[in-house]
Amino acid sequence: MDTAILDRSIPEIAALVQRGEVSAEEVARAALARIEQRDGALNAFLTVQAEQALEAARALDARRARGEALGPLAGVPIGLKDALCTEGAPTTAGSKILTRAAAGAARAPDPARGYRPPYDATVVARLRAAGAILPGKCNMDELAMGSSNENSAFGPVKNPWDRARTPGGSSGGSAVAVAAGMTPGSLGSDTGGSIRQPASLTGVVGLKPTYGRVSRYGLIAFASSLDQIGPFAQDVKSAARLLEVIAGRDPRDATSLDAPVGAYEAACGRDVAGLRIGVPEEYFAKGLDEQVGAKVRGAIDGLRGLGCEIRPVHLPHTRYAVAAYYIVATAEASSNLARFDGVRFGLRVDGERGGKADLQALYGATRGEGFGREVKRRILLGTYVLSAGYYDAYYLRAQKVRTLIRRDFDEAFREVDLIAAPVSPTVAFRLGERVDDPLSMYLADVYTLPASMAGLPAISVPCATAPAPDGGPPLPVGLQLIGPALEEARLLRAAYAWEQISPVRALRAPLA
Ligand code: GLN
């Protein structure tokens, strides 16, 4: 079967389907075929909804045949992070707690037995309305907690550039769906880097919008003041098209912003001469892999060559971001995760206390068995920092640090239009390498957390490949661009300009 259509950009695929040069069904079949061929080795998809996808594609083809206009994502297959609710289809957020236990002795959690939400997340509804085809749900770190996908209850996702390595996390499945050419785009969520870091580690474009730009309704919550949904794609324009579809005010999410949606796709192609780009020295300090640093600086030189003005900026509170984030995020998580108690959703394990089955025992047994180690660690940390006597010392302080981080950016954006930085301090690390060392895992987020804490939009765009310090094939490196609130169009414009001169433009993972 010819699946080459999937290597086209999202606007190209949609145009072909709109003109009837390719049917939506053919495109859907191509995506399903590639998932079938490639995902066995990658584990990016937890569930595949083949029948529903084909049915939706045929309905779209029928509408075209009747002369109806199709939407901006006509026939485009999009992978969905499994934290996004899909009506009637299994939704697990990578956790055993959202799966019903199998009957009998079989204890291994099965994503097909996942919670089936009675409604679609707003972004899912918007994708469907735009004509997208949704072939399946993507693997992720449990409840979006992690930076390597190794916290998934359903096994890690493999990086298609080197399957011994992590694709990053927590949206690793969504990144790999795109990096391995299975779907031309996907959605992930980013609380502290979960779109940008896996995009960087797998060589695709990943964008975290401004906090509130995209509705969180129907996203299984991790840390509500940080969570934001965003797109992955092979190229900047495709990501822009996806963002344009999912962005905008939603009355069902009180934190969604009532600002007009930008002309994101039209911004791709506009000149960048004169754009002032800040380079924060704090992001190029100790801990940054030398090769990664050199590649990112090379990309910044490329932007200079396009007429951008490059200036140093200071973000002095950067070094407190990891500590403050892991207080705020765990505090919010401990509260959000209280809902998983065995009563309404997913797993239920009837426990006993003193020989009696009661409600406390049900909670304890369900949560004890349903949550993985990292999630339990976060619940404990979060409960601790919110508890009487510690609240002021930890949570309140972290909130103050958050304000300082935000002010750093406010100051910098008085001088510059965008900030350029690395995404991840290293290329993709080996699976297993950091699982027993949570601190080294948390430090992987050092360059993505500040923009999250400040609620700012940020993109990762592929800028190079570099050898890993421990050998193996060359691996992707991402350039991060951070913008002022609601300046997604400016981010995309600069990312697009860079992409046109990037040495890795259209470079594909070896498997794809
Ligand atoms: N790696 C970070 C964490 O584990 C960020 C995760 C995310 O953005 N969802 O919390």
Side-chain angles (χ1 to χ4, degrees), residues 81 141 143-148 151 169-171 189-197 222 227 325-326 329 374 378 441-442 444-445 448-449 452:
K81 187 177 188 177
D141 280 304
L143 293 154
M145 297 175 188
S147 309
S148 70
N151 297 335
S170 65
S171 314
S189 64
D190 189 313
T191 303
S194 282
I195 293 174
R196 289 162 285 160
Q197 186 251 18
F222 163 12
D227 295 344
Y325 168 86
Y326 278 94
E374 181 62 24
R378 306 260 181 133
M441 196 70 96
Y442 297 171
D445 304 331
T448 52
L449 295 177
S452 299

Short mmCIF file of all heavy atoms in Angstrom, two decimals, residues 81 141 143-148 151 169-171 189-197 222 227 325-326 329 374 378 441-442 444-445 448-449 452, ligand 1:
data_model
loop_
_atom_site.label_atom_id
_atom_site.label_comp_id
_atom_site.label_asym_id
_atom_site.label_seq_id
_atom_site.Cartn_x
_atom_site.Cartn_y
_atom_site.Cartn_z
N LYS A 81 -3.01 12.52 22.41
CA LYS A 81 -2.48 12.07 23.70
C LYS A 81 -3.62 11.46 24.49
O LYS A 81 -4.74 12.00 24.51
CB LYS A 81 -1.89 13.28 24.44
CG LYS A 81 -1.15 12.93 25.73
CD LYS A 81 -0.53 14.18 26.36
CE LYS A 81 0.38 13.82 27.54
NZ LYS A 81 1.05 14.99 28.12
N ASP A 141 3.49 9.36 29.69
CA ASP A 141 3.79 9.11 31.10
C ASP A 141 2.49 9.16 31.89
O ASP A 141 1.61 9.98 31.60
CB ASP A 141 4.74 10.20 31.63
CG ASP A 141 6.19 9.96 31.26
OD1 ASP A 141 6.71 8.88 31.57
OD2 ASP A 141 6.79 10.86 30.63
N LEU A 143 -0.48 10.01 33.82
CA LEU A 143 -1.09 11.28 34.22
C LEU A 143 -0.20 12.47 33.89
O LEU A 143 -0.21 13.49 34.57
CB LEU A 143 -1.48 11.24 35.70
CG LEU A 143 -2.63 10.23 35.92
CD1 LEU A 143 -2.64 9.69 37.34
CD2 LEU A 143 -3.99 10.85 35.58
N ALA A 144 0.62 12.30 32.85
CA ALA A 144 1.48 13.36 32.30
C ALA A 144 2.66 13.70 33.20
O ALA A 144 3.26 14.77 33.06
CB ALA A 144 0.68 14.61 31.94
N MET A 145 3.00 12.81 34.11
CA MET A 145 4.12 13.07 35.02
C MET A 145 5.35 12.32 34.57
O MET A 145 5.46 11.11 34.76
CB MET A 145 3.74 12.64 36.43
CG MET A 145 2.56 13.45 36.95
SD MET A 145 2.03 12.83 38.53
CE MET A 145 0.54 13.79 38.74
N GLY A 146 6.28 13.05 33.98
CA GLY A 146 7.52 12.42 33.56
C GLY A 146 8.13 13.12 32.38
O GLY A 146 7.53 14.01 31.77
N SER A 147 9.35 12.73 32.06
CA SER A 147 10.09 13.35 30.97
C SER A 147 10.70 12.29 30.06
O SER A 147 11.59 12.59 29.27
CB SER A 147 11.24 14.20 31.54
OG SER A 147 10.75 15.07 32.53
N SER A 148 10.23 11.04 30.17
CA SER A 148 10.85 9.98 29.38
C SER A 148 9.86 8.94 28.87
O SER A 148 10.26 8.01 28.17
CB SER A 148 11.89 9.26 30.23
OG SER A 148 11.24 8.49 31.24
N ASN A 151 7.17 6.32 32.68
CA ASN A 151 6.17 6.20 33.74
C ASN A 151 4.82 5.71 33.23
O ASN A 151 3.87 5.65 33.99
CB ASN A 151 5.99 7.54 34.47
CG ASN A 151 7.26 7.98 35.17
OD1 ASN A 151 8.09 7.16 35.53
ND2 ASN A 151 7.42 9.29 35.34
N GLY A 169 9.16 12.95 27.31
CA GLY A 169 7.80 12.81 27.84
C GLY A 169 7.29 14.15 28.33
O GLY A 169 8.01 15.13 28.26
N SER A 170 6.09 14.24 28.76
CA SER A 170 5.22 13.10 28.90
C SER A 170 4.46 12.73 27.62
O SER A 170 3.95 11.63 27.50
CB SER A 170 4.20 13.37 30.01
OG SER A 170 3.34 14.43 29.65
N SER A 171 4.43 13.65 26.62
CA SER A 171 3.68 13.34 25.39
C SER A 171 4.53 12.56 24.39
O SER A 171 4.51 12.86 23.19
CB SER A 171 3.18 14.64 24.74
OG SER A 171 2.61 15.52 25.68
N SER A 189 -0.01 17.53 25.60
CA SER A 189 -0.23 18.58 26.59
C SER A 189 1.11 18.86 27.25
O SER A 189 1.98 17.99 27.31
CB SER A 189 -1.26 18.15 27.63
OG SER A 189 -0.79 17.04 28.37
N ASP A 190 1.27 20.10 27.67
CA ASP A 190 2.54 20.57 28.20
C ASP A 190 2.25 21.29 29.51
O ASP A 190 1.54 22.30 29.53
CB ASP A 190 3.16 21.52 27.15
CG ASP A 190 4.60 21.93 27.47
OD1 ASP A 190 4.86 22.30 28.62
OD2 ASP A 190 5.45 21.90 26.55
N THR A 191 2.77 20.76 30.59
CA THR A 191 2.60 21.34 31.91
C THR A 191 3.92 21.99 32.33
O THR A 191 3.94 23.06 32.93
CB THR A 191 2.19 20.24 32.91
OG1 THR A 191 1.00 19.62 32.42
CG2 THR A 191 1.96 20.79 34.31
N GLY A 192 5.01 21.30 31.96
CA GLY A 192 6.34 21.83 32.28
C GLY A 192 7.34 21.53 31.17
O GLY A 192 8.54 21.62 31.38
N GLY A 193 6.82 21.13 30.02
CA GLY A 193 7.73 20.82 28.91
C GLY A 193 7.30 19.62 28.08
O GLY A 193 7.98 19.25 27.12
N SER A 194 6.18 19.05 28.43
CA SER A 194 5.78 17.76 27.83
C SER A 194 5.44 17.78 26.35
O SER A 194 5.22 16.71 25.78
CB SER A 194 4.61 17.18 28.60
OG SER A 194 5.09 16.59 29.78
N ILE A 195 5.37 18.94 25.72
CA ILE A 195 5.29 18.97 24.26
C ILE A 195 6.67 19.28 23.70
O ILE A 195 7.17 18.60 22.81
CB ILE A 195 4.26 20.02 23.77
CG1 ILE A 195 2.84 19.60 24.17
CG2 ILE A 195 4.37 20.20 22.25
CD1 ILE A 195 1.77 20.61 23.85
N ARG A 196 7.30 20.33 24.25
CA ARG A 196 8.56 20.80 23.66
C ARG A 196 9.69 19.80 23.80
O ARG A 196 10.46 19.59 22.86
CB ARG A 196 8.95 22.12 24.35
CG ARG A 196 8.04 23.28 23.97
CD ARG A 196 8.16 24.41 24.97
NE ARG A 196 7.48 24.09 26.22
CZ ARG A 196 7.71 24.67 27.39
NH1 ARG A 196 8.63 25.61 27.48
NH2 ARG A 196 7.01 24.33 28.46
N GLN A 197 9.81 19.16 24.96
CA GLN A 197 10.94 18.26 25.18
C GLN A 197 10.85 17.02 24.28
O GLN A 197 11.82 16.71 23.58
CB GLN A 197 11.06 17.93 26.67
CG GLN A 197 12.29 17.10 27.03
CD GLN A 197 11.90 15.68 27.42
OE1 GLN A 197 10.80 15.23 27.09
NE2 GLN A 197 12.78 14.97 28.09
N PHE A 222 -3.50 17.55 35.31
CA PHE A 222 -2.31 17.28 36.12
C PHE A 222 -2.14 18.48 37.05
O PHE A 222 -2.45 18.39 38.24
CB PHE A 222 -1.13 17.03 35.18
CG PHE A 222 0.26 17.12 35.78
CD1 PHE A 222 0.48 17.17 37.15
CD2 PHE A 222 1.38 17.10 34.95
CE1 PHE A 222 1.77 17.23 37.68
CE2 PHE A 222 2.66 17.16 35.48
CZ PHE A 222 2.86 17.25 36.84
N ASP A 227 -1.23 23.40 32.92
CA ASP A 227 -1.58 22.53 31.79
C ASP A 227 -2.00 23.33 30.57
O ASP A 227 -2.80 24.26 30.67
CB ASP A 227 -2.77 21.62 32.15
CG ASP A 227 -2.48 20.62 33.26
OD1 ASP A 227 -1.30 20.41 33.58
OD2 ASP A 227 -3.45 20.05 33.80
N TYR A 325 8.68 24.76 40.41
CA TYR A 325 7.73 23.98 39.61
C TYR A 325 7.33 22.69 40.32
O TYR A 325 6.16 22.33 40.38
CB TYR A 325 8.33 23.64 38.25
CG TYR A 325 7.52 22.60 37.48
CD1 TYR A 325 6.44 22.97 36.69
CD2 TYR A 325 7.84 21.25 37.57
CE1 TYR A 325 5.70 22.01 36.00
CE2 TYR A 325 7.11 20.28 36.89
CZ TYR A 325 6.04 20.67 36.10
OH TYR A 325 5.31 19.72 35.44
N TYR A 326 8.32 21.99 40.87
CA TYR A 326 8.00 20.70 41.48
C TYR A 326 7.27 20.84 42.82
O TYR A 326 6.81 19.86 43.37
CB TYR A 326 9.24 19.79 41.55
CG TYR A 326 9.45 19.11 40.21
CD1 TYR A 326 10.29 19.64 39.24
CD2 TYR A 326 8.70 17.98 39.87
CE1 TYR A 326 10.43 19.05 37.99
CE2 TYR A 326 8.82 17.38 38.62
CZ TYR A 326 9.68 17.91 37.69
OH TYR A 326 9.79 17.33 36.45
N ALA A 329 3.46 22.18 40.92
CA ALA A 329 2.83 21.11 40.12
C ALA A 329 2.40 19.94 41.00
O ALA A 329 1.32 19.39 40.81
CB ALA A 329 3.80 20.64 39.03
N GLU A 374 5.85 7.02 40.45
CA GLU A 374 6.09 8.46 40.30
C GLU A 374 4.85 9.25 40.71
O GLU A 374 4.96 10.29 41.37
CB GLU A 374 6.49 8.79 38.86
CG GLU A 374 6.78 10.27 38.60
CD GLU A 374 7.96 10.81 39.44
OE1 GLU A 374 8.83 10.02 39.85
OE2 GLU A 374 7.98 12.04 39.69
N ARG A 378 4.54 12.06 43.68
CA ARG A 378 4.03 13.43 43.51
C ARG A 378 2.88 13.72 44.47
O ARG A 378 2.76 14.83 44.98
CB ARG A 378 3.56 13.64 42.08
CG ARG A 378 4.61 13.28 41.04
CD ARG A 378 5.31 14.48 40.50
NE ARG A 378 6.28 14.08 39.49
CZ ARG A 378 6.40 14.67 38.32
NH1 ARG A 378 5.63 15.68 37.99
NH2 ARG A 378 7.32 14.27 37.46
N MET A 441 15.98 13.20 36.47
CA MET A 441 14.86 13.28 35.54
C MET A 441 14.25 14.68 35.58
O MET A 441 13.96 15.28 34.56
CB MET A 441 13.82 12.22 35.92
CG MET A 441 12.81 11.92 34.85
SD MET A 441 13.50 11.03 33.43
CE MET A 441 13.11 9.34 33.85
N TYR A 442 14.04 15.21 36.78
CA TYR A 442 13.44 16.55 36.93
C TYR A 442 14.33 17.62 36.28
O TYR A 442 13.85 18.59 35.72
CB TYR A 442 13.20 16.90 38.40
CG TYR A 442 12.22 16.00 39.14
CD1 TYR A 442 12.05 16.10 40.51
CD2 TYR A 442 11.46 15.05 38.46
CE1 TYR A 442 11.16 15.28 41.20
CE2 TYR A 442 10.57 14.22 39.14
CZ TYR A 442 10.44 14.33 40.51
OH TYR A 442 9.56 13.52 41.20
N ALA A 444 15.98 17.44 33.69
CA ALA A 444 15.81 17.45 32.23
C ALA A 444 14.89 18.58 31.80
O ALA A 444 14.86 18.98 30.64
CB ALA A 444 15.27 16.11 31.74
N ASP A 445 14.08 19.10 32.73
CA ASP A 445 13.07 20.11 32.40
C ASP A 445 13.55 21.54 32.63
O ASP A 445 12.76 22.48 32.55
CB ASP A 445 11.83 19.90 33.28
CG ASP A 445 11.25 18.51 33.16
OD1 ASP A 445 11.41 17.91 32.09
OD2 ASP A 445 10.65 18.03 34.13
N THR A 448 12.58 24.16 30.01
CA THR A 448 11.18 24.28 29.58
C THR A 448 10.29 24.81 30.70
O THR A 448 9.25 25.41 30.43
CB THR A 448 10.61 22.92 29.09
OG1 THR A 448 10.86 21.93 30.10
CG2 THR A 448 11.24 22.51 27.78
N LEU A 449 10.69 24.59 31.95
CA LEU A 449 9.82 24.98 33.07
C LEU A 449 9.59 26.49 33.19
O LEU A 449 8.47 26.91 33.51
CB LEU A 449 10.40 24.45 34.39
CG LEU A 449 10.44 22.93 34.51
CD1 LEU A 449 11.10 22.54 35.82
CD2 LEU A 449 9.04 22.36 34.44
N SER A 452 6.72 27.72 31.23
CA SER A 452 5.48 27.15 31.77
C SER A 452 5.05 27.92 33.00
O SER A 452 3.87 28.28 33.15
CB SER A 452 5.69 25.69 32.16
OG SER A 452 6.04 24.92 31.04
N1 GLN B 1 8.51 16.55 33.03
C1 GLN B 1 7.66 17.42 33.77
C2 GLN B 1 7.01 16.66 34.90
O1 GLN B 1 7.29 15.52 35.03
C3 GLN B 1 6.63 18.05 32.88
C4 GLN B 1 5.53 17.14 32.54
C5 GLN B 1 4.49 17.80 31.67
O2 GLN B 1 4.73 18.84 31.08
N2 GLN B 1 3.32 17.20 31.66
O3 GLN B 1 6.25 17.18 35.64
#
